[in-house]
Amino acid sequence: NMDQELEVRLKAQDEKLEQIYVSVEKTRKYFLFTMVSTLVFFLVPVIGLMFAIPALLDSLSTTSQMINGL
């Protein structure tokens, strides 16, 4: 009787642990996806600006030289 009750409780705990594990894995994947997407949406524009700002400054410098040369 006591052994059966203990077995039922252990089985219930195993089921709960499995549910917790599934939930934790879903949460981990969600956080990983969020981190990767945040890095992509932050780093891609920063890298783009690293190329765009020098080109813009060069263009402004050339335009300034042309205006001053007139």
Side-chain angles (χ1 to χ4, degrees), residues 2-70:
M2 192 69 135
D3 287 341
Q4 289 177 340
E5 184 179 321
L6 184 60
E7 190 174 325
V8 168
R9 292 177 79 180
L10 284 174
K11 187 175 181 182
Q13 281 186 347
D14 283 345
E15 290 172 3
K16 292 288 185 186
L17 282 173
E18 182 64 29
Q19 291 173 355
I20 291 169
Y21 175 77
V22 169
S23 177
V24 166
E25 281 300 305
K26 286 181 183 179
T27 304
R28 185 185 65 81
K29 288 178 183 176
Y30 172 76
F31 277 117
L32 180 64
F33 174 76
T34 303
M35 184 180 71
V36 168
S37 62
T38 300
L39 286 174
V40 166
F41 286 116
F42 178 75
L43 287 180
V44 169
V46 168
I47 292 170
L49 284 174
M50 287 171 56
F51 292 101
I53 289 176
L56 177 65
L57 291 176
D58 186 46
S59 174
L60 288 174
S61 169
T62 303
T63 304
S64 173
Q65 289 173 0
M66 289 174 57
I67 290 173
N68 290 336
L70 291 177

